[in-house]
């Protein structure tokens, strides 16, 4: 995983304000290898969150906005979009408390792994130019979002012979 920026926050202000949410707005650049889309780039990531110190843990809630440039998986049209993902995570002071969770030490919390994990796990599996994209004609290759073609794309389903089987 290639990360060009570490996302590290200083918790000193949070420690002085137990239970009070403190806003966090971070503009960062992460590696495009986080994307499940071929030929796409993650141009920017914006974190809009609130950080709350709840002794001894830190609770961070908000959203991750991913700016993606690439090509539609169905029709190959250029796509420039933003995808908003929810984020709600608790960071534990001591790793022995929670083996599978994220931890912090001292007054610094590294959000990088948690943010990258959330992006990898939550992004939609397809990058589309619009919801309901019709894609390309499998015979002539015309973009069906722009115009219809006269190709006969009806063919019998290979499994249709199974409907005649009697049990």
């Amino acid at each position: 995983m290639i990360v060009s920026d570490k996302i590290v926050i200083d918790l000193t202000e949070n420690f002085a304000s137990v239970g009070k949410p403190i806003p966090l707005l971070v503009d960062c650049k992460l590696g495009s290898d986080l994307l499940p889309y071929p030929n796409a780039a993650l141009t920017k990531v914006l974190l809009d969150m609130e950080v709350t110190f709840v002794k001894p843990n830190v609770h961070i809630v908000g959203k991750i906005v991913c700016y993606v440039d690439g090509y539609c998986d169905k029709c190959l049209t250029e796509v420039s979009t933003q995808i908003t993902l929810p984020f709600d995570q608790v960071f534990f002071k001591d790793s022995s408390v929670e083996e599978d969770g994220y931890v912090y030490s001292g007054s610094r919390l590294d959000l990088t792994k948690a943010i990258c994990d959330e992006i990898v796990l939550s992004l939609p599996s397809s990058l589309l130019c619009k919801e309901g994209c019709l894609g390309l004609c499998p015979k002539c290759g015309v973009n069906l979002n722009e115009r219809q073609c006269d190709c006969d794309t009806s063919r019998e389903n290979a499994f249709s012979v199974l409907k005649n089987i009697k049990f």
Side-chain angles (χ1 to χ4, degrees), residues 134-144 149 151-153:
L134 299 174
L136 303 175
C137 171
K139 289 203 174 194
C140 70
V142 71
N143 185 340
L144 298 173
C149 64
C151 297
D152 180 16
T153 57

Side-chain angles (χ1 to χ4, degrees), residues 16-141:
S17 307
V18 177
K20 179 184 173 199
I22 296 176
L24 172 70
L25 190 61
V26 177
D27 187 349
C28 56
K29 185 154 175 62
L30 299 173
S32 291
D33 59 331
L34 297 173
L35 298 176
Y37 319 123
N39 302 314
L42 186 59
T43 57
K44 179 170 85 165
V45 176
L46 180 66
L47 309 178
D48 184 4
M49 304 181 174
E50 288 186 335
V51 181
T52 308
F53 179 58
V54 188
K55 280 188 178 176
N57 304 323
V58 176
H59 183 219
I60 301 179
V61 64
K63 62 184 177 181
I64 304 168
V65 182
C66 300
Y67 294 85
V68 180
D69 290 340
Y71 296 92
C72 177
D73 287 342
K74 287 187 174 183
C75 71
L76 303 177
T77 302
E78 281 192 49
V79 176
S80 226
T81 188
Q82 67 182 42
I83 303 168
T84 302
L85 308 171
F87 186 83
D88 190 346
Q89 188 65 53
V90 174
F91 292 80
F92 299 95
K93 174 70 174 165
D94 186 4
S95 61
S96 64
V97 174
E98 186 68 33
E99 290 181 18
D100 294 333
Y102 299 103
V103 296
Y104 73 95
S105 61
S107 64
R108 298 179 65 75
L109 189 150
D110 187 348
L111 272 172
T112 311
K113 182 166 177 20
I115 297 298
C116 290
D117 288 350
E118 193 65 38
I119 290 171
V120 167
L121 294 172
S122 299
L123 279 177
S125 59
S126 297
L127 180 62
L128 299 177
C129 59
K130 63 181 180 181
E131 195 171 318
C133 174
L134 299 174
L136 303 175
C137 171
K139 289 203 174 194
C140 70

